[in-house]
Amino acid sequence: MYLRATFIALAGCLALGAQELTPVNPPAADSQSAVKEDVPVAGQFLIPPGTKVPLSMINSVSTKTASEGERIYLETVFPILANGKIVIPPGSYVAGTVTDVKRPGRLKGRGELYIRFDSLTLPNGVTRDFRARIGSLDGRAAETLDKEEGKIKSEGNKSGDVKVIGEAAGAGATAGGLAGAAAGHAGMGAGIGAAVGATAGLVGVLVTRGPEAILAKGTTMDMVLDRPLSFTSSDIDFSNSVGRSHSSDGPGPLPSRKSQSSQRRWPL
């Protein structure tokens, strides 16, 4: 009887050891949830922050006429894709706001525009609100972009001002020389005429502002998203969207105004 009890106890110990050595499988539910984390949600299309969206101006804005709070309107000119589908097609509308305006000075300084982008409307009417900034500006434009501050600056015109004063002095010297020659004092007349002409040219520069900062209709730029934009399959259903011509078709950026500095800006 003693041996029988010992055998039963030994069998029990072996069974317990076998249970401890048996690997424990993770719950099926945890396994499924881990798989789901790696699989994108079906029917969801995400455009990540930092995405650049090419735009074109529909209206025009200038430091000469713009004011803080004025609205600007643009449209997309290149499709943006997510998960292999077009999410933002060309012709989608973007609305923005002029947040600050600074006109150019009369002797120095440049015109400055600050703008931000506020909303996107797809051709089917689906809208998303956000805040985005300019990432780049049309390479044909005379204006420059300060990416850190989001500031659009007009071109400078210091060399043009110097040229205007020089041409005024030259014209004055010629006229004074002719008048002096008639009176028998050609050298003196030329000197006086040059001084008078330079003064007139300086006055013309002082009363004339430098080039304005202008975003003309058709000017292109990149909008950089500051947050993700999420869409569902129904949001990007464009089957019932009405086709239309591009509203931003226009001449684009204006040519450099430095070439205009040769025009006389002093009193005759």
Side-chain angles (χ1 to χ4, degrees):
M1 186 173 180
Y2 174 75
L3 292 174
R4 185 177 181 181
T6 302
F7 178 76
I8 294 173
L10 182 59
C13 290
L14 291 174
L16 181 60
Q19 291 178 359
E20 292 178 352
L21 293 175
T22 302
V24 179
N25 294 326
D30 294 343
S31 165
Q32 293 175 359
S33 62
V35 173
K36 287 182 179 179
E37 290 179 358
D38 297 332
V39 177
V41 178
Q44 186 178 29
F45 301 87
L46 189 69
I47 300 177
T51 299
K52 292 184 178 181
V53 182
L55 305 174
S56 180
M57 290 286 296
I58 293 176
N59 63 331
S60 298
V61 62
S62 166
T63 50
K64 184 176 182 179
T65 57
S67 58
E68 183 178 346
E70 183 173 331
R71 301 290 281 169
I72 62 172
Y73 303 99
L74 312 94
E75 64 180 356
T76 60
V77 295
F78 193 82
I80 304 299
L81 284 71
N83 299 346
K85 293 197 66 175
I86 295 178
V87 178
I88 303 178
S92 299
Y93 290 123
V94 171
T97 303
V98 175
T99 58
D100 195 13
V101 180
K102 178 183 176 182
R103 292 203 66 190
R106 286 189 166 83
L107 186 58
K108 62 180 180 178
R110 302 184 181 186
E112 297 178 359
L113 274 174
Y114 296 79
I115 67 173
R116 70 163 189 261
F117 303 111
D118 302 323
S119 66
L120 166 73
T121 302
L122 303 181
N124 58 7
V126 172
T127 301
R128 292 290 184 272
D129 294 329
F130 51 82
R131 293 291 182 270
R133 58 182 174 83
I134 297 181
S136 63
L137 188 62
D138 199 318
R140 302 168 298 169
E143 288 73 18
T144 58
L145 172 66
D146 185 333
K147 293 184 179 181
E148 292 185 2
E149 299 184 17
K151 175 172 56 180
I152 299 170
K153 300 174 64 176
S154 65
E155 61 180 334
N157 200 33
K158 289 183 179 179
S159 60
D161 291 340
V162 172
K163 185 177 180 181
V164 167
I165 295 173
E167 289 181 347
T174 300
L178 293 174
H185 302 284
M188 181 181 298
I192 295 174
V196 172
T199 301
L202 179 60
V203 171
V205 168
L206 291 175
V207 300
T208 305
R209 291 185 181 272
E212 304 283 351
I214 300 173
L215 293 178
K217 180 178 180 180
T219 301
T220 59
M221 63 191 72
D222 282 341
M223 172 178 70
V224 180
L225 297 178
D226 67 341
R227 66 191 67 184
L229 296 182
S230 178
F231 299 89
T232 64
S233 297
S234 59
D235 290 335
I236 59 173
D237 180 7
F238 306 115
S239 57
N240 295 324
S241 301
V242 179
R244 60 178 183 81
S245 59
H246 290 291
S247 303
S248 60
D249 290 341
L254 301 180
S256 172
R257 266 89 62 194
K258 288 183 179 180
S259 60
Q260 302 175 11
S261 63
S262 60
Q263 297 176 357
R264 287 177 296 180
R265 298 188 295 171
W266 59 88
L268 293 176

